[in-house]
Amino acid sequence: PISLIGACAKNDAPSCAEEWMIRMIEDGIDPCQISYRLLIDSFAKAGEYEKMEQWLRRMIDSDVEECTSVWNSAINAFAQAKNQQKAEEIYNSMIQHNVRTNAKTYNCLMNACCRNNQPERAAHWFQTMIASGFKADMISFTTLINAFAKAGDMERAVYWFNQMAVHGIEPNIPCYNFLLRCCGERGDCTSALQWFNRIKFIGLSPNTISYNCLINSFIKAGQPHKAVEYVQNMISAGCEPDEVTLMMLEPMTSYLDHHPRLVQE
């Protein structure tokens, strides 16, 4: 039965997996940890949260040893659904039932807060993770930087960016892009250009998102000539303009009419 449940789960068929689980129970076979994990994960990935919670409760009520990864899947599912309250309820239930947490548990909680525009709450879960003896990783910091950048709090976003060095983690392109996006939304082209140049200075290569954020900062700052310049630089660097690039340039039609070479490229 476990292999059949696994096959259904692998093929994104949680209802089929549930049928085999029920049949197994009806035949007098007690589901093991793996069976519950496969079924709960399957419902979590399918976004069927009521079913996921239903089987999580059945696992709690059974004598099977509880698995941290199953609980993390439930927290992550609610994070993806932007349901921070339910994600935190699952965490509280973990603590109540003495289930071990790990770094992923807290990363999922931070993600839930980020998706709900609650950066300070995300920082709270980061501090709780550290206090619990777990090490922060790249996901921890990218989530925090993104949370504060989305909220327009550049100062705090930069603070967490700088904290990466304290924890011995090298920032990656997404970390820089979150800061660039924040600068772009504010029309702070000076800061955006500084962060953009820093990417190149440390030996990384800006990607399409990096260029888009920088271009957006020039457009919002009322500097269309610089926006066009960096679209040209973008193409020269081998980064393909995407739909976002074209959408940003659309209001600049009259300016682009005077740059036929850029239009041709």
Side-chain angles (χ1 to χ4, degrees):
I2 295 177
S3 60
L4 292 170
I5 293 170
C8 294
K10 186 176 180 181
N11 286 282
D12 299 323
S15 295
C16 175
E18 183 181 43
E19 289 178 10
W20 283 108
M21 185 76 147
I22 293 172
R23 185 176 299 184
M24 181 169 66
I25 294 171
E26 290 175 345
D27 288 342
I29 303 173
D30 292 329
C32 64
Q33 182 191 94
I34 297 174
S35 302
Y36 279 110
R37 178 174 58 80
L38 289 170
L39 183 59
I40 292 169
D41 281 352
S42 183
F43 279 122
K45 290 176 182 177
E48 296 188 37
Y49 307 120
E50 289 186 9
K51 283 286 188 178
M52 177 191 72
E53 280 197 277
Q54 174 188 325
W55 283 102
L56 186 61
R57 285 194 296 269
R58 289 188 68 165
M59 183 184 75
I60 293 170
D61 293 337
S62 71
D63 293 328
V64 68
E65 182 181 355
E66 293 166 2
C67 177
T68 301
S69 65
V70 176
W71 292 80
N72 286 347
S73 291
I75 293 173
N76 185 58
F78 284 122
Q80 296 299 322
K82 299 183 179 181
N83 193 334
Q84 178 187 337
Q85 180 179 345
K86 292 296 292 186
E88 294 188 353
E89 284 178 7
I90 296 294
Y91 169 82
N92 291 334
S93 188
M94 283 182 77
I95 301 303
Q96 180 183 347
H97 290 89
N98 297 315
V99 180
R100 292 181 181 179
T101 58
N102 57 23
K104 185 175 181 180
T105 308
Y106 297 100
N107 282 343
C108 290
L109 288 166
M110 283 188 276
N111 185 35
C113 298
C114 177
R115 286 173 173 268
N116 282 273
N117 199 30
Q118 296 290 328
E120 292 296 346
R121 188 64 176 169
H124 160 77
W125 288 117
F126 179 92
Q127 299 295 354
T128 303
M129 176 176 69
I130 299 301
S132 299
F134 301 112
K135 289 185 177 180
D137 57 16
M138 182 67 76
I139 294 174
S140 311
F141 283 104
T142 52
T143 302
L144 271 178
I145 295 167
N146 185 26
F148 282 100
K150 279 175 61 179
D153 191 340
M154 188 66 178
E155 183 179 350
R156 293 281 283 161
V158 172
Y159 168 80
W160 287 109
F161 179 92
N162 291 333
Q163 281 294 303
M164 295 183 77
V166 176
H167 290 261
I169 300 174
E170 289 289 333
N172 58 11
I173 285 292
C175 292
Y176 285 97
N177 286 347
F178 291 140
L179 297 178
L180 279 168
R181 184 184 64 191
C182 188
C183 294
E185 290 301 315
R186 298 164 65 181
D188 185 358
C189 56
T190 301
S191 296
L193 188 56
Q194 289 174 347
W195 285 107
F196 185 86
N197 288 334
R198 186 169 170 179
I199 293 174
K200 296 191 290 185
F201 179 78
I202 65 171
L204 295 176
S205 298
N207 59 19
T208 298
I209 296 173
S210 312
Y211 278 99
N212 282 344
C213 293
L214 180 60
I215 292 165
N216 186 42
S217 74
F218 285 121
I219 292 174
K220 292 202 171 185
Q223 298 186 33
H225 61 290
K226 294 295 290 184
V228 170
E229 176 187 332
Y230 275 91
V231 172
Q232 292 172 323
N233 291 346
M234 177 183 189
I235 296 169
S236 298
C239 288
E240 289 290 331
D242 59 11
E243 291 182 0
V244 175
T245 318
L246 299 177
M247 285 177 61
M248 289 191 298
L249 294 176
E250 189 174 348
M252 298 170 53
T253 305
S254 60
Y255 188 87
L256 292 172
D257 287 341
H258 294 86
H259 296 78
R261 179 182 173 188
L262 176 60
V263 175
Q264 290 171 4
E265 289 177 335

